[in-house]
Amino acid sequence: VPLQTKNESWKFPKDFWYGVAGAAYQIEGAVKAEGRGPSTWDVLTHRVANYVVTNETGDVADNNYYQYKEDIARIAALGVNTYSFSISWSRIQPFGTGPVNEQALAHYDDVIDTCLEYNIIPMVTLYHWDTPLFLQNSYGGWLDSKIVDDFTEYARIVFNRYHSKVQYWFTVNEPIVFCGFYPLPKNYFKKTDIPDIQQKYYCGHNVLLAHSAAYHIGKSLNSSLSISVKHNGGYKIPRTNSSEDAIAVQRAWDFNEAWFSDPLFLTGDYPKYLKEYLDTFLDPFTDEQRAQINGTSDIYAHDAYTSDIIMAPDSGIDACTKNESHPLFPSCYNTTKLYANDYWALGPAGDPGTPWLVKATDWVPAFLHYMQDTWKPRGGVAITEFGISEPFEALKTSLPTIVIDPIRSKYYVDYLEAILMALSEGVDVVGTLAWSIYDNLEWSSGYGVKFGIQYVNLTTQERFFKASAFEYVNMFNVYLEK
Ligand code: GBH
């Protein structure tokens, strides 16, 4: 009888990076400080009633703009080795184009230098959803190809300033998500003639051009930089083994991850089914553009929180086309996606505030294999966000300084074990980033949905570790190759 389980030999490689992540608008606050210009999110939070369910804003958030030194010291003390944050474009260029704000550049210099002092690897995301308002209102932001040059110029400024200190870069966070914000609420932003259902794809088109242009600028400054897009989505599991569900799964990949991953890693162009659809209203990429886009992502960076069950509609895989003008109209895909919570017991139900997220850690090895085998990233696969929200009130213990969060702890332990298993099976996983460094503005869900491995008292701005922070780092104490 074998006494040892196979995890005897499990190891994270020596150079594995393991850290925590946050994003500018969700944590910084200080929205009017040191020359910051407004972004789309200032309008969404201040002007659009109930866009954030609680009508909360990022005005103060976690006060990270002022407490970053304490924040970095705390994560260093915890024992992780990486901090991933985003830069606010409208701090660097208050109008998104034109004048550069030296105070903001000096601020992020200090954030980066503080990381380096503590031996924390800084990772920078250029854009995590906060479009400078001037760009949104002058030409529609990501809907217009003008943003390609503006983003490229912004990237040039930031790469120029920090390329000798920062090795890991992400240009844009989750384009599927922020392109999906379009159409933005009417009457608050510049009007556009692009039909609602096409807007997200115009956005995606400009994202691919802007990202790839920025990539080439970064690489020309320093060819050893690692520059990637942060992808997102769930692993796609067919509801049954029917051939229709298999088609539904393939469509789901095509209209989500592959929308950006196939152009970046494989072909410079969209996956087949998506391309057929997009060619009905977008100019196809030119040969030159395809050459510019192809190969411009070093790691397959995925924010992989969960899995989704995918099925063909009850009325058949093509039933959704009946009243549509094109056989691959994306509603075909939309009607096939089911939240795991509702349809299949993948794991314990999550926070009611995040119905899209269940703990589906059993599927992580298959997911990692799929990413590596499908997109073959030269820099390996990384989980650049993972985590689970857990309501706080029920979890507060009598101790004043620690929060017990068993659902999150179990999620991190099981997820990291699944990564160890995938590593032992040959998947080149290079790092993980826990979302999030602490509870923060969970976008339109407000502050009540809590993903942090630290709790923040938003009145006093005091930080408290949760138990999951220690569980997370302990996995590396135990399994990191010495
Ligand atoms: C990440 O997105 C973000 O990068 C990060 O800023 C955020 O705080 C974190 O997740 C936690 O949510 O409400 O049913 O329409 C993860 C991908 C895509 C998951 C949008 C939630 C909305 C589902 N997210 N999705 S629904």
Side-chain angles (χ1 to χ4, degrees):
V1 179
L3 293 175
Q4 303 295 340
T5 57
K6 60 183 168 178
N7 70 6
E8 167 85 338
S9 59
W10 285 353
K11 284 279 172 260
F12 292 111
K14 262 198 191 70
D15 54 355
F16 200 85
W17 38 267
Y18 47 100
V20 296
Y25 189 70
Q26 295 181 272
I27 67 172
E28 282 184 348
V31 293
K32 293 183 181 167
E34 299 193 352
R36 177 186 179 277
S39 81
T40 45
W41 272 88
D42 295 290
V43 174
L44 293 171
T45 56
H46 278 267
R47 304 287 298 278
V48 186
N50 307 318
Y51 192 83
V52 174
V53 289
T54 52
N55 289 310
E56 292 163 312
T57 76
D59 287 6
V60 178
D62 294 302
N63 202 36
N64 169 269
Y65 193 77
Y66 297 114
Q67 287 178 238
Y68 62 93
K69 285 195 176 158
E70 172 191 350
D71 291 342
I72 294 164
R74 286 180 68 84
I75 60 175
L78 177 65
V80 301
N81 70 11
T82 306
Y83 175 43
S84 166
F85 60 94
S86 80
I87 287 183
S88 157
W89 184 351
S90 52
R91 288 190 192 280
I92 304 296
Q93 291 175 286
F95 301 95
T97 180
V100 177
N101 176 14
E102 173 59 31
Q103 253 187 320
L105 285 170
H107 169 80
Y108 292 113
D109 261 326
D110 212 17
V111 173
I112 293 164
D113 291 344
T114 305
C115 288
L116 298 176
E117 275 162 33
Y118 283 99
N119 266 319
I120 298 278
I121 303 166
M123 297 195 177
V124 172
T125 299
L126 293 175
Y127 175 81
H128 197 125
W129 305 355
D130 42 356
T131 308
L133 187 60
F134 179 76
L135 303 187
Q136 194 65 48
N137 280 346
S138 55
Y139 57 67
W142 289 103
L143 297 180
D144 193 288
S145 61
K146 289 193 186 75
I147 198 154
V148 176
D149 285 348
D150 284 336
F151 183 79
T152 307
E153 182 56 22
Y154 161 60
R156 185 194 306 279
I157 294 161
V158 177
F159 279 135
N160 262 327
R161 180 79 171 212
Y162 309 121
H163 72 88
S164 58
K165 298 195 277 200
V166 176
Q167 154 102 48
Y168 290 94
W169 295 84
F170 304 106
T171 53
V172 295
N173 181 70
E174 303 183 350
I176 297 170
V177 177
F178 71 80
C179 287
F181 291 162
Y182 293 103
L184 286 166
K186 306 251 187 279
N187 303 326
Y188 298 91
F189 302 101
K190 185 178 174 62
K191 298 202 188 334
T192 173
D193 294 334
I194 304 171
D196 286 3
I197 58 160
Q198 295 177 5
Q199 289 186 23
K200 59 189 280 194
Y201 299 105
Y202 276 80
C203 170
H205 215 66
N206 294 323
V207 165
L208 284 164
L209 293 168
H211 156 82
S212 54
Y215 178 95
H216 291 298
I217 288 171
K219 288 287 192 177
S220 69
L221 282 168
N222 178 349
S223 62
S224 71
L225 297 185
S226 167
I227 307 174
S228 309
V229 165
K230 282 175 75 198
H231 303 275
N232 74 286
Y235 187 57
K236 295 168 213 334
I237 304 164
R239 176 73 182 90
T240 71
N241 59 12
S242 75
S243 57
E244 293 221 323
D245 283 355
I247 295 169
V249 164
Q250 189 53 51
R251 283 187 189 172
W253 288 115
D254 279 9
F255 280 89
N256 286 277
E257 277 87 336
W259 173 13
F260 293 95
S261 307
D262 281 14
L264 295 173
F265 288 96
L266 301 180
T267 62
D269 211 339
Y270 299 112
K272 182 167 166 286
Y273 291 131
L274 180 61
K275 183 171 162 49
E276 272 179 36
Y277 171 63
L278 298 186
D279 283 354
T280 64
F281 58 89
L282 273 172
D283 287 339
F285 288 129
T286 62
D287 290 350
E288 204 186 332
Q289 287 173 326
R290 286 201 299 274
Q292 177 192 303
I293 292 167
N294 196 4
T296 59
S297 209
D298 291 312
I299 55 184
Y300 196 79
H302 203 99
D303 300 349
Y305 287 82
T306 188
S307 296
D308 298 316
I309 308 302
I310 305 293
M311 65 184 279
D314 288 339
S315 41
I317 186 71
D318 287 317
C320 50
T321 67
K322 284 203 181 105
N323 300 312
E324 309 290 2
S325 55
H326 189 276
L328 291 170
F329 189 79
S331 67
C332 275
Y333 158 64
N334 289 332
T335 58
T336 62
K337 176 176 171 172
L338 303 172
Y339 287 131
N341 255 357
D342 297 333
Y343 282 86
W344 210 11
L346 282 176
D351 181 338
T354 54
W356 57 277
L357 205 176
V358 296
K359 175 181 173 292
T361 48
D362 288 353
W363 293 93
V364 166
F367 200 173
L368 291 165
H369 278 284
Y370 186 90
M371 296 178 206
Q372 174 155 297
D373 296 348
T374 308
W375 294 295
K376 303 179 173 58
R378 58 183 165 264
V381 172
I383 300 300
T384 37
E385 286 182 25
F386 69 137
I388 194 163
S389 66
E390 184 166 359
F392 171 68
E393 255 59 48
L395 305 168
K396 205 169 173 184
T397 69
S398 54
L399 290 170
T401 54
I402 194 167
V403 179
I404 308 295
D405 52 344
I407 295 172
R408 182 177 296 105
S409 291
K410 178 111 174 85
Y411 174 98
Y412 279 125
V413 169
D414 289 354
Y415 200 126
L416 291 169
E417 284 184 355
I419 290 176
L420 286 162
M421 181 186 286
L423 279 162
S424 76
E425 293 166 358
V427 183
D428 182 21
V429 188
V430 296
T432 61
L433 299 169
W435 184 273
S436 178
I437 177 174
Y438 36 50
D439 297 335
N440 57 52
L441 178 64
E442 180 51 29
W443 304 112
S444 53
S445 303
Y447 292 93
V449 170
K450 293 174 180 296
F451 275 91
I453 60 161
Q454 301 181 73
Y455 165 75
V456 179
N457 176 327
L458 292 175
T459 309
T460 62
Q461 291 295 346
E462 212 180 337
R463 284 88 164 108
F464 301 90
F465 285 117
K466 301 181 188 177
S468 61
F470 302 108
E471 295 275 8
Y472 177 64
V473 81
N474 188 52
M475 288 296 287
F476 299 98
N477 294 337
V478 171
Y479 287 106
L480 194 71
E481 202 174 319
K482 299 286 180 319

